[in-house]
């Protein structure tokens, strides 16, 4: 397996995984099914050369009670786990909440913040999302910062809206403490839970804008922008290089589909010959 340019010996610039593939299980699976899923993903990850080499960064965000076991199972296979949400304080009289400090103690390495469902159902706004982003940094968790426009419009409108959401979160977080690496998940809200993702051209154009903006921000050299919203097998191969990977939901519920996506991501990096790919699995 050849290494991409930024990971070859002597290469200059940040050493960062060349692809990022994340899965949020939302509240779809109960305890036992989540465990079973993590075991299957771990088996796939353990056998996958690009995950083992670190060229693909793979994480799963399970329902919170499963986090300690998920982190242990995935951690043995070169993958990782995290939380779908955290509170903005680390401890105190906040009934029912879970802080980033506890998530880190449980083995979590990522904290999703600002998902469209949190914004819409739980009324989270830019202020709250900024505070949660700060809590993630403070506790050594990589925030998976979700941004996305409400309705389908032009690329320019989407870039403007999402850039504002990124800036709102990062500016507030940086006013509270040092920033660190961030994974920005660009998820157009109209494409979440839909039959199909946004078009590859649209995704590529919006993320090119967001990635260029992210590069201008202090402390974000290693940060990446990935796409979510009905993503599944067959998509990543059609996306431009600025799109660092995928944030998957329903169409990764079948571990075989996730395996196909990992293969496609590796193929896109030139790490796997197309002829070695198995047939693309159907959408779960
Ligand atoms: O967190 C994941 C995203 O919201 C995408 O979910 P979906 O692929 O089921 O639309």
């Amino acid at each position: 397996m050849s290494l991409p340019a930024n990971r070859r010996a002597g290469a200059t610039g940040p050493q960062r995984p060349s692809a990022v593939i994340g899965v949020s299980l939302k509240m779809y699976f109960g305890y036992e099914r989540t465990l079973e899923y993590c075991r299957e993903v771990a088996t796939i990850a353990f056998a996958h050369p690009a995950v083992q080499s670190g060229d693909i960064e793979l994480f799963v965000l399970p329902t919170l009670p499963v986090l300690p076991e998920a982190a242990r199972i995935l951690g043995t296979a070169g993958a990782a786990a995290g939380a779908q949400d955290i509170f903005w304080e680390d401890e105190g009289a906040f009934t029912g909440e879970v802080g980033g400090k506890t998530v880190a103690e449980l083995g979590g390495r990522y904290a999703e913040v600002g998902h469209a469902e949190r914004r819409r159902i739980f009324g989270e706004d830019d202020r709250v999302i900024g505070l949660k982003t700060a809590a993630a940094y403070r506790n050594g968790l990589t925030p998976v910062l979700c941004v996305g426009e409400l309705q389908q419009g032009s690329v320019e409108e989407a870039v403007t809206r999402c850039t504002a959401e990124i800036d709102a979160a990062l500016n507030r977080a940086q006013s509270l403490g040092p920033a660190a690496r961030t994974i920005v998940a660009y998820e157009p809200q109209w494409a979440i839970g839909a039959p199909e993702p946004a078009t590859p051209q649209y995704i590529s154009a919006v993320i090119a804008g967001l990635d260029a903006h992210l590069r201008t921000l202090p402390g974000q050299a290693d940060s990446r922008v990935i796409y979510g919203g009905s993503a599944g097998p067959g998509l990543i191969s059609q996306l431009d290089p600025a799109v660092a990977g995928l944030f998957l939901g329903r169409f990764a519920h079948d571990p075989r589909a996730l395996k196909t996506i990992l293969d496609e991501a590796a193929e896109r990096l030139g790490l796997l010959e197309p002829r070695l790919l198995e047939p693309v699995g159907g959408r779960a």
Side-chain angles (χ1 to χ4, degrees), residues 80-171:
Q84 296 173 17
D85 182 40
I86 51 171
F87 191 55
W88 62 74
E89 297 288 349
D90 294 339
E91 54 200 12
F94 305 105
T95 302
E97 293 292 336
V98 178
K101 186 177 174 186
T102 304
V103 166
E105 279 183 319
L106 295 177
R109 289 185 27 211
Y110 298 82
E112 185 178 357
V113 293
H115 189 274
E117 287 145 21
R118 301 290 319 171
R119 294 178 194 254
R120 189 180 72 248
I121 302 170
F122 301 99
E124 295 191 1
D125 58 15
D126 284 341
R127 177 185 157 275
V128 162
I129 293 158
L131 293 172
K132 291 185 171 190
T133 304
Y137 291 146
R138 189 168 66 237
N139 289 289
L141 302 167
T142 300
V144 181
L145 171 62
C146 300
V147 299
E149 75 281 10
L150 214 54
Q151 288 166 341
Q152 188 164 12
S154 69
V155 167
E156 293 70 27
E157 286 166 341
V159 171
T160 301
R161 159 76 181 241
C162 297
T163 297
E165 289 182 342
I166 292 170
D167 287 349
L170 297 191
N171 287 342

Side-chain angles (χ1 to χ4, degrees), residues 22-26 28 61 84 112 115-117 146 185 187-189 191-197 227-232 247-253 283:
V23 181
S24 168
L25 295 175
K26 304 195 180 188
Y28 281 112
L61 309 182
Q84 296 173 17
E112 185 178 357
H115 189 274
E117 287 145 21
C146 300
E187 299 205 307
Q189 296 196 27
I192 296 173
E196 297 289 338
Y227 171 79
S230 306
F247 191 34
L248 301 156
R250 293 157 296 144
F251 299 133
H253 286 180
R283 290 176 172 254

Side-chain angles (χ1 to χ4, degrees), residues 206-232:
V206 175
I207 289 189
L210 301 184
D211 190 58
H213 179 68
L214 203 56
R215 308 272 132 251
T216 67
L217 302 180
Q220 299 300 324
D222 287 344
S223 296
R224 312 300 304 270
V225 188
I226 62 178
Y227 171 79
S230 306

